[in-house]
Amino acid sequence: MNASDPPQTRLPYRNFQDGVLPPNFCPSYVSSVKRAPRQPLVHLPQTISELTGPIFTPPENIRPVDLTKGSHGEALGERILISGQVLDEDGRAVAGTFVEIWQANAAGRYLHARDQHNAPLDPNFTGCASLVTDTKGRFAFETIRPGEYPWRNHHNAWRPAHIHFSVFGPAFATRLITQMYFPGDPLLPFDPIFNSVRSKAARERLIALFDWETTVPEYGLGYRFDIVLRGSHETPMENKL
Amino acid sequence: MTEQKNPESLGKAVPQGLSVTTYQTVGPYFKIGLEALYRGDLTQPNIPGQVIEVSGTIFDADLIPVPDAVLELWQADSFGRYMDQPEKNPFEDSFGFGRVPTNEAGQFRFRTIKPGAVQAETPARQAPHILVSIFMRGLLYRLITRIYFSDEPGNANDPLFRSIEPGRQDSLLAKGDPVQPHRYEWNVYLQGENESVFFDL
Ligand SMILES: [Fe+3]
């Protein structure tokens, strides 16, 4: 089956393995205490409703996105390049999926009314973009390395540098919102959001790899960030209700 | 996976295999990334059906409205069909996806075509419903729920709705306004006595 063809028989997606999903209720992440549900979740069988979702006709090739070009000039900070592929657990490319990215600027400040961090805004950096993966599930963008920023979760709390990612995947069941981190960030061991994920392997998947292939000589460092969505079961959909 | 060409970096490369990518919170500043796709009116001139409006409030554990949440919607058309074929722009060219934030008072509102009973499934067809994902600061994963409609007799035969314990079914029901029946109210309680039903998928 060509990855860009819509599946003729819709297969249910595999369950997440133990420890991979962060729990919604996580007291070290203070905002979760009043917002996360406490009742056990009710099992939702995967029906056609959960197995469908909006899908794009994928472009033949990557259309690179550039966040560094502002309306008055170049954004300030360290220019970086990020490339990756959206795949499923079986290694199949997820073509034609919509990806949104947003991030702080080099000084650790978001272009957002509620961000009161005393760091400068950059008139040439909005910190957001969207793209569609190509027929091989690939994407690439150029941006500014985001700064770390303080938050009020606990005394002297700082978020490690990160870029927010929103990925639709082929179905409602694969909808993903996550964050990409940078290798070697000294704040990672102290971050309650990153460490809410119990599985070490799952945490490490959120860290981009420094990548010579993506690095452009005399221009900018490159990072590789592959996003792996749930794979399908091999047996056709059965309704377990 | 990309091969690391520089021997210096070999020891530092994290073996990723094909383990699945996990979730992280959408955080407090999602608006800058997600606003471009806000869709509070799903209706389109060429999509037939009954136009309805659904509104409500999201409440936290202390019944304080949540002013920084975003809801995503996915639904069938009035014939119970999902429009999920690849499109140039599925958000513009086909029907079924919506995204709305809550306002300062924790309220959201969207206008859409009432979905039909979802077709051709065994053992029973599903009553009209809208799938909802909720994201906000304070949620590391997402909340998954469904909106059913209080005026649909088919709810009693819907396999999922029927499986919810009767005392909690109410949280899934959008209630039609007796005077303006095309308006529905559906509130979300994140915690407490009236905690809404949330699903694991
Ligand atoms: Fe952030």
Side-chain angles (χ1 to χ4, degrees):
Chain A
M1 187 180 72
N2 185 318
S4 65
D5 289 337
Q8 293 308 301
T9 310
R10 294 188 178 85
L11 301 173
Y13 293 95
R14 285 189 214 140
N15 292 332
F16 292 100
Q17 294 202 332
D18 196 38
V20 167
L21 285 183
N24 270 325
F25 179 67
C26 178
S28 59
Y29 176 33
V30 176
S31 304
S32 79
V33 174
K34 300 281 187 182
R35 291 185 163 192
R38 302 296 184 93
Q39 300 273 350
L41 299 176
V42 175
H43 176 64
L44 177 58
Q46 299 181 30
T47 72
I48 191 167
S49 307
E50 290 75 28
L51 297 177
T52 49
I55 319 169
F56 279 78
T57 307
E60 272 305 309
N61 286 300
I62 309 182
R63 296 187 190 135
V65 167
D66 190 350
L67 285 81
T68 70
K69 303 283 185 292
S71 35
H72 312 288
E74 300 258 342
L76 294 174
E78 181 194 348
R79 183 168 46 221
I80 55 171
L81 298 102
I82 293 168
S83 68
Q85 194 181 14
V86 183
L87 306 156
D88 72 13
E89 287 171 281
D90 304 311
R92 280 189 286 250
V94 179
T97 201
F98 192 66
V99 178
E100 293 154 295
I101 47 185
W102 69 99
Q103 62 165 94
N105 68 20
R109 177 91 186 260
Y110 284 88
L111 184 59
H112 187 287
R114 286 215 186 98
D115 187 354
Q116 298 299 314
H117 177 34
N118 179 17
L121 283 169
D122 180 344
N124 289 311
F125 191 71
T126 62
C128 57
S130 63
L131 54 90
V132 175
T133 58
D134 75 359
T135 52
K136 296 194 174 78
R138 296 174 304 182
F139 64 89
F141 63 96
E142 215 176 293
T143 186
I144 296 295
R145 188 186 168 102
E148 301 80 2
Y149 59 86
W151 59 314
R152 300 216 172 107
N153 190 69
H154 53 273
H155 174 66
N156 213 4
W158 292 80
R159 289 301 325 280
H162 62 275
I163 299 177
H164 296 264
F165 275 74
S166 150
V167 184
F168 279 76
F172 180 86
T174 59
R175 182 79 178 95
L176 172 70
I177 292 188
T178 192
Q179 300 180 24
M180 182 201 102
Y181 299 96
F182 290 85
D185 192 319
L187 293 169
L188 283 171
F190 308 102
D191 183 50
I193 293 176
F194 178 71
N195 290 293
S196 66
V197 177
R198 213 168 70 240
S199 155
K200 185 165 182 273
R203 287 198 302 275
E204 285 175 345
R205 170 157 291 295
L206 299 178
I207 305 173
L209 299 176
F210 168 65
D211 183 31
W212 285 109
E213 296 274 353
T214 309
T215 297
V216 178
E218 317 292 322
Y219 190 73
L221 295 187
Y223 293 87
R224 172 103 189 170
F225 186 58
D226 291 329
I227 295 169
V228 181
L229 304 178
R230 306 164 76 175
S232 298
H233 276 299
E234 277 159 19
T235 51
M237 184 170 87
E238 54 172 321
N239 200 321
K240 292 210 186 74
L241 276 170
Chain B
M1 298 297 106
T2 307
E3 289 243 345
Q4 301 290 329
K5 286 180 183 164
N6 185 334
E8 298 277 318
S9 69
L10 278 178
K12 290 171 193 160
V14 178
Q16 292 197 310
L18 280 178
S19 60
V20 78
T21 303
T22 190
Y23 291 69
Q24 296 276 271
T25 181
V26 74
Y29 307 128
F30 59 80
K31 182 180 172 189
I32 67 166
L34 303 184
E35 187 178 30
L37 198 53
Y38 285 174
R39 292 277 185 285
D41 186 353
L42 285 73
T43 66
Q44 290 175 30
N46 56 336
I47 302 289
Q50 183 200 351
V51 175
I52 60 167
E53 200 174 284
V54 181
S55 60
T57 306
I58 301 185
F59 296 99
D60 76 4
D62 300 328
L63 297 181
I64 295 172
V66 173
D68 57 349
V70 59
L71 295 85
E72 282 185 359
L73 315 163
W74 176 243
Q75 65 164 92
D77 67 10
S78 60
F79 304 105
R81 299 173 309 204
Y82 285 94
M83 292 186 154
D84 68 329
Q85 297 306 304
E87 299 272 4
K88 190 147 176 281
N89 185 338
F91 305 121
E92 306 279 353
D93 305 338
S94 67
F95 171 82
F97 177 79
R99 177 189 278 173
V100 284
T102 56
N103 65 16
E104 289 300 318
Q107 298 161 340
F108 62 87
R109 175 184 301 275
F110 61 93
R111 197 167 168 262
T112 188
I113 300 292
K114 195 174 186 193
V118 173
Q119 292 185 344
E121 277 191 276
T122 52
R125 63 163 42 190
Q126 303 187 60
H129 63 274
I130 300 175
L131 269 69
V132 184
S133 292
I134 305 174
F135 301 96
M136 66 180 79
R137 170 180 65 84
L139 289 179
L140 290 158
Y141 177 39
R142 62 169 165 166
L143 295 181
I144 296 166
T145 187
R146 282 184 174 198
I147 299 174
Y148 285 86
F149 298 92
S150 61
D151 51 1
E152 288 290 337
N155 291 338
N157 296 319
D158 179 275
L160 178 69
F161 190 83
R162 223 171 38 184
S163 75
I164 309 295
E165 55 177 294
R168 300 191 72 200
Q169 287 175 347
D170 200 55
S171 78
L172 300 175
L173 286 176
K175 317 271 189 322
D177 182 314
V179 184
Q180 295 172 288
H182 69 288
R183 285 180 195 264
Y184 291 87
E185 184 180 354
W186 180 73
N187 297 314
V188 178
Y189 294 89
L190 297 175
Q191 270 185 38
E193 224 180 311
N194 296 318
E195 184 177 310
S196 299
V197 170
F198 300 109
F199 297 106
D200 111 54
L201 173 61

